[in-house]
């Protein structure tokens, strides 16, 4: 009698486990997705030899610009390190006229900047409705909302020669 209950218990456990395994099966890939985006990001990581958290004097940002109807933001980056920069991560805080932050974005920007050089980099604007403009930009004839920025370089990805 105990042997029958033991066999019955094993059969019930096996059935329960098989039902549980089929219930957990989940498709995690969307249709029509290719792996190209992942390989581009992987190539960018492999291209850089090292990751450096720079001192504020090593990588300087200046000349930020974003006119009212622009879809792009630009800034000049000076590389004062001993390395060639392959890409960098910039955090931008957007503040109003009273110094209150109303938006912040952190983005990685691909930019080849040799040691001791300065390059202008551009990236897509956070302002998708094109209703804000940087206070240092050329003033537009139509009305918009002015803002100021605080920018920092969080990380640089460099290649060691």
């Amino acid at each position: 009698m105990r042997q029958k209950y033991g066999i019955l218990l094993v059969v019930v456990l096996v059935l329960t486990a098989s039902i549980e395994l089929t219930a957990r099966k989940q498709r995690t890939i969307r249709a029509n997705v290719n792996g190209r985006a992942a390989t581009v990001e992987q190539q960018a990581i492999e291209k850089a030899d090292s990751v450096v958290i720079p001192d504020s004097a090593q990588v300087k940002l200046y000349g930020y610009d974003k006119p009212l109807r622009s879809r792009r933001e630009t800034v000049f980056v000076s590389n004062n390190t001993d390395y060639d920069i392959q890409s960098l991560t910039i955090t931008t805080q957007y503040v109003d006229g009273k110094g209150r932050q109303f938006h912040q974005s952190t983005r990685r920007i691909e930019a080849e900047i040799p040691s001791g050089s300065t390059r202008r980099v551009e990236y897509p604007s956070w302002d998708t409705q094109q209703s804000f403009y940087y206070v240092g930009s050329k003033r537009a004839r139509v009305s918009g909302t002015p803002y100021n920025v605080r920018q920092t370089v969080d990380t640089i990805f460099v290649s060691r020669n």
Side-chain angles (χ1 to χ4, degrees), residues 37-104:
T39 58
V40 169
E41 181 68 24
Q42 184 63 29
Q43 289 172 353
I45 291 172
E46 290 173 359
K47 188 176 178 183
D49 293 334
S50 299
V51 176
V52 177
I53 299 174
D55 183 346
S56 61
Q58 291 179 315
V59 180
K60 293 192 176 200
L61 302 174
Y62 63 92
Y64 173 87
D65 189 34
K66 194 272 183 197
L68 180 63
R69 298 291 183 224
S70 178
R71 297 181 190 276
R72 315 280 303 158
E73 296 177 39
T74 61
V75 67
F76 288 94
V77 181
S78 288
N79 179 4
N80 299 323
T81 68
D82 296 332
Y83 311 113
D84 293 340
I85 295 176
Q86 301 299 319
S87 64
L88 62 155
T89 304
I90 297 177
T91 297
T92 306
Q93 295 178 349
Y94 302 89
V95 294
D96 64 8
K98 295 182 180 178
R100 298 175 296 200
Q101 177 182 326
F102 60 87
H103 185 69
Q104 179 173 324

Side-chain angles (χ1 to χ4, degrees), residues 86-144:
Q86 301 299 319
S87 64
L88 62 155
T89 304
I90 297 177
T91 297
T92 306
Q93 295 178 349
Y94 302 89
V95 294
D96 64 8
K98 295 182 180 178
R100 298 175 296 200
Q101 177 182 326
F102 60 87
H103 185 69
Q104 179 173 324
S105 68
T106 301
R107 59 177 38 98
R108 182 169 174 181
I109 302 167
E110 300 294 324
E112 293 189 14
I113 307 171
S115 176
S117 297
T118 300
R119 297 288 186 270
R120 183 180 68 97
V121 297
E122 65 177 38
Y123 46 91
S125 177
W126 64 279
D127 179 22
T128 56
Q129 295 179 338
Q130 301 175 359
S131 57
F132 290 85
Y133 66 93
Y134 175 63
V135 294
S137 296
K138 182 180 176 185
R139 184 94 191 243
R141 292 184 182 172
V142 294
S143 66

